[in-house]
Amino acid sequence: MAEIEVPPHFLCPISLQLMRDPVTVCTGITYDREDIEKWLFSCKNKTCPVTKQSLLDTDLTPNHTLRRLIQGWCTLNASFGVERIPTPKPPIDRTHIVKLISEAKRFPEKQIKCLRRLRSIASDGERNKKCLESAGAVEFLASTMKSIQIQQDSPVSPVWGEAAIEVLFHLNPSESHLKNLIHNEGIQFIESLFHVLRLGNYQSRAYATMLMKSAFEVADPVQLISVKSELFQEILRVLRDQISNQASKAALKLIVELCPWGRNRIKAVEGGAVSSLIEILLDVPERRACELVLIALDQLCGCAEGRAELLKHGAGVAIVSKKILRVSHAASDRGVRILASICKHSANSRVLHEMLQVGAVSKLCLVLQVDSSFKTKERAKEVLKLHSTVWRNSPCVPVPLLSLYP
């Protein structure tokens, strides 16, 4: 196709690719369906990309005439390797989805067939996802997951659960839908996700983790405070199993989201969070993941139990010190905060000696010299002053760094 010139009006104005399913918006401009749906629904734009006019009506009208012209042009240029684009399937009708869900509710034996059909519909573009949401598919999937949790001994339950959570994840429910779910279903929706986290296959557990992260981001404080200790154990299991980068980041964000509330820090510590996070920090290659681990450890070191666990781990202080000045300003700030928490609340002669041995004191001196934030430098200076009688004249601190000692 590179050897022939494509008529400009056959190209989508957004992607400049040959249109496969041309549709016209209310401003009269024609786009490829996939591109304009992504522009409107995924990117949440409310204007026409070409005219910049506001789109008060987001209905997309198929441009059959242009589509036939494109198909004819493809046929004429088949000898150049141009493949004829297939006639697109008509957009799904909301009435059809409502009928499908209604039948599944009335006839349980049709449930798995319905879930597979919903999964197929959801994979056909953003418009279909919006149509599914408006037809009540999100609520239906949530109720299906709840019923599966109750019927967990049924031989078909795992299949239903995997299908239901996959569709729900790919639907990517809007914030308002998630809020409604949590408001109407309350703890039941979270319990359903926890059930999948505990018993599902790897992929289902990944979906459950990412959905739970989105759900807790819009949850009420009461729901954040009342999470079970077992939830942290399952979140940490997702991290240890390394299902995917996406699932691991969602798990880390979940811990960060939950820790500030109520007794959640202690619940996380009891679930083994500190040692698991240190093990991840020893081997984490990606900057953002490293920052999230340090944020979580900083939160957990806000309680005595968390600090005790970090100090009990042979590599705890060493790996936190190592990450300072090696990852990012944000990571350095969190690393210094962790060391400050330990020095202020949990310091004894053994801890202070360990900090000298693993280079934490030298690293704090370096923080004062390099381009760090003002708050990070002030915190490092405060820690160094706090234990200057022990550290200042130690042979463990390199002589060039002693001049930086406050």
Side-chain angles (χ1 to χ4, degrees), residues 172-183:
N172 190 20
S174 62
E175 186 177 307
S176 59
H177 258 88
L178 279 174
K179 279 184 177 178
N180 288 336
L181 264 185
I182 295 173
H183 177 74

Side-chain angles (χ1 to χ4, degrees), residues 34-95:
E34 183 179 349
D35 290 325
I36 192 62
E37 285 184 350
K38 184 177 179 181
W39 170 268
L40 294 174
F41 303 126
S42 295
C43 302
K44 298 182 180 179
N45 293 298
K46 303 295 181 186
T47 58
C48 173
V50 171
T51 67
K52 308 302 180 188
Q53 291 176 260
S54 294
L55 296 174
L56 302 176
D57 180 4
T58 55
D59 285 348
L60 305 175
T61 306
N63 190 330
H64 296 300
T65 302
L66 181 57
R67 193 244 311 150
R68 291 190 192 102
L69 288 171
I70 293 172
Q71 286 177 324
W73 178 84
C74 289
T75 302
L76 286 172
N77 290 279
S79 58
F80 293 97
V82 178
E83 294 183 7
R84 185 179 185 276
I85 61 169
T87 301
K89 294 183 287 186
I92 198 71
D93 181 53
R94 183 178 180 277
T95 309

Side-chain angles (χ1 to χ4, degrees), residues 19 27 45 69 108 135 139 188 207 215 224 271 280 282 300-301 305 321 333 342 382 392:
M19 288 188 275
T27 58
N45 293 298
L69 288 171
E139 292 75 13
Q188 286 293 336
Y207 292 148
L224 293 166
I280 293 167
L282 286 167
L300 295 173
C301 284
E305 294 85 351
S321 305
D333 179 59
I342 290 166
E382 183 184 354
R392 190 177 184 89

Side-chain angles (χ1 to χ4, degrees), residues 4 54 65 86 157 198 206 304 318:
I4 59 172
S54 294
T65 302
S157 288
R198 192 164 56 89

Side-chain angles (χ1 to χ4, degrees), residues 135-148:
V138 173
E139 292 75 13
F140 166 70
L141 291 165
S143 65
T144 301
M145 288 169 59
K146 184 168 70 174
S147 66
I148 289 165

Side-chain angles (χ1 to χ4, degrees), residues 298 301-303 307-308 310-311 317 320-321 324 334-356 358-362 364 379-388 390-391 405:
D298 177 29
C301 284
C303 66
R307 292 191 296 273
L310 185 132
L311 291 171
V317 174
V320 170
S321 305
I324 295 172
R334 291 292 175 168
V336 172
R337 283 171 63 106
I338 293 166
L339 295 182
S341 291
I342 290 166
C343 289
K344 286 179 183 178
H345 306 293
S346 303
N348 55 38
S349 58
R350 183 189 66 79
V351 171
L352 296 179
H353 181 68
E354 181 185 352
M355 291 182 71
L356 278 169
V358 300
V361 180
S362 298
L364 289 171
R379 195 172 282 115
K381 190 183 295 184
E382 183 184 354
V383 174
L384 289 168
K385 284 181 178 179
L386 191 62
H387 299 293
S388 61
V390 179
W391 291 338
Y405 208 102

